[in-house]
Amino acid sequence: MPAKKLNPKQAAYQKKVKKYEPKPNALRNAFFAFVSGGVVCLLGQALTDFFGAVMDLPPEKAANPAVASMIFIGALLTALGLFDRIAKFAGAGLAVPVTGFANSMVSAALEFREEGLILGVGAKLFSLAGSVITFGVVTAFIVGLLHAILPGG
Amino acid sequence: MKMGKKTGEQTFQFANPPVIIATGTVAGPFEGQGPLAEEFDLVLGDLHNGENSFERAERSMLVQACRLALDHASRGSAEVDLFLAGDLLNQIISSSFTAATLSIPYLGIYGACSTVAEGLTLASMILDGGFAGAILVATSSHNATAERQYRYPTEYGGQRRPYQQWTVTGAAAALLGYTGHGPRVTAATVGKVVDMGCKDPLNLGAAMAPAAAETIACHFQDTGWDPDSFDLILTGDLGEIGFKLCRELLAEKDIHLGENFSDCGLLIYDREKQDVHAGASGCATAGLVAFGRLFRQFQRGELTRVLLVATGALHSPTSFLQGENIPCIAHAVRIEA
C-alpha cells in the first residue's frame, strides 16, 4: 500500500499532534514487563520441575505438560475476565510468553461465539493468533532450509 | 434560486425553529459511575442489559431511550412522523433493528460520532420545511461492540495508549416537534469532510480536531456570532488531546475560546478515578451529554445559548488497514432556550 504523501498543511498539523500526544511511559512499562515476564517464567520453571519430579520425566519432556498448564492458566484467566486487567500492567511480560497466545485465541473464541461454532469460533479463533502461526511456520521453514544447506548444519 | 434559510457558506437558519420536546437517555454501568450519572434517565446494571450478545444489548438500550423520550412527551410511536437514527456498527444495525421495533417511518443516517448533530440538523430542516410535525432523533454506542468492530476482542489483554479514548456505552433519543415547549434548534452548520493526514485510529481526537475547528469558525463567519454569544460551545468527543488541538487551531484563526468551551468527551467520566485515558468517545458521548445534561440545564433555565459541535471519524477498519487517512467531519447545531 503506497503511503500517500502529506501536503504541507497536513505535515504541519502532524507536527502539532506529536506535540500534544503523550508518550507511553516506556521505563515503567519495561519494568513491569520484566517483573511480570519473570514471574511467568518462574511459574513455568516450577511447573517443569514439578512434572519432572512427579512424572519422572527428563526436563525436555517435562516442559510439555508445563507449557500445556501455562496455556490452561492463560485461557482460564481470560475466560474469568482477569487476563486483560493483569495485562494492563504486565504488558509484554504476559503477552510474549505462551499465556499471551492463549489469551489471543480464547478472547477471539469468546468474542465470536455468538456468530456460531463454524463461522464464528472456528473461523475467527485465529483472527489475532493467525499471523503468529503463519510467520512462525515461515520462519521455521527458512531456518530449517538454511540449517540443511549450510555446511556444518 | 433564492435560498432564504441558508446563510453564508454552510449554515442554515430555521424560520420556525423546531423544539426539542422531550429526551430519553440510557447509560451503561461505567458511565453511571461518572459525574453525569444524575443527568441520565436510566443507568444499566450490566453491559448485557439482559440480552445474550452485546449487539442486542446496544439495540435494547436504543429502544429504551426512544421509548423514554416518547413517554416523557406522552406520545405513542404512531404520533411520530419520522425516525432518524444512526450508530457505529456495520450497516447501522442498532438503528435499523430499533426502527423495526418502533415501527416509525425511518431514515438511517451515518456520521459516526457526529450522528447526533447530523440527526438534529436533518430533523430541524424537515420540520422547518413543513414536511413533518414530530421527528424522533436517536443514536447509540456500546463499548464492547465498538471495540470488537474497530479494535480487539473484549477480553484481549493489550495495553491502551495514553491518548486513547474510551467508547461510551449508552443511547440517547430526542423528540423534536414543529410546536411545543422546550429548547429550540435555531441554526445548523453542516461540516465538510476534513483530512489532515491522521492515520492513527487510536488517536481519533487529534484526527477530528481540525474538522471541529473548521465548523466552529465557519459558524461564526456565516452568522456573525462570536464565542461570547454562547453560554457554552461544546464539541463532541475530541478528548483531551483533540480538545487542546482544536483550541490551538481556532486561536490561529484568531478565534479565542474561553471558559465556555468544553468537550462532551471530557465530561462523561471522572478522569481521575476512571481509567479512561484521554476521555470518552462514541456516538453516545455527544448524545448523552446533549439529551441528558444540556436538555435538563435548559429546562432548569441554566442555559440560553449553546453551540453543539458533534465530531465524527469516518474511517472503517478496512480503510485503515489499506493505509488510508482518517477523514473526519463536524456538524454544529445552535440550541437556544
Side-chain angles (χ1 to χ4, degrees), chain A residues 47-59 61-66 68-69:
Chain A
L47 283 169
T48 309
D49 292 349
F50 170 78
F51 286 117
V54 172
M55 297 163 80
D56 197 21
L57 294 169
K61 288 241 168 95
N64 292 334
S69 304

Side-chain angles (χ1 to χ4, degrees), chain A residues 1-4 6-7 9-11 13-14 16-17 19-25 28-29 32 77-84 87-92 95 100 103-104 107-108 110-112 114-115 127-128, chain B residues 52-56 144 148 151-163 195-200 203 205-210 214 241-242 244-246 248-249 252 275 277 320-325:
Chain A
M1 48 192 161
K4 265 190 288 180
L6 296 177
N7 65 36
K9 220 171 130 196
Q10 290 174 327
Y13 182 65
Q14 291 307 313
K16 223 183 285 270
V17 172
K19 192 175 78 185
Y20 283 106
E21 220 167 55
K23 300 278 166 292
N25 190 334
R28 181 180 160 279
N29 286 349
F32 279 115
L77 288 176
T78 305
L80 292 174
L82 297 173
F83 191 98
D84 56 333
K88 203 168 129 181
F89 297 99
N103 169 248
S104 70
S107 64
L110 286 170
E111 196 69 45
F112 297 105
E114 271 302 307
E115 294 175 21
S127 60
L128 292 165
Chain B
N52 55 6
S53 81
F54 291 128
E55 282 72 15
R56 271 192 285 272
R148 166 204 294 213
R151 295 174 193 107
Y152 301 114
T154 323
E155 297 299 333
Y156 177 69
Q159 274 180 325
R160 285 162 51 79
R161 300 264 157 191
Y163 47 76
D195 169 12
M196 285 302 272
C198 289
K199 283 183 184 292
D200 186 354
N203 192 2
M208 297 188 294
E214 293 283 329
I241 292 98
K244 285 180 185 162
L245 281 161
C246 184
E248 184 176 323
L249 290 171
E252 285 171 10
D275 194 15
H277 301 88
F320 154 66
L321 286 174
Q322 294 183 354
E324 304 287 350
N325 295 344

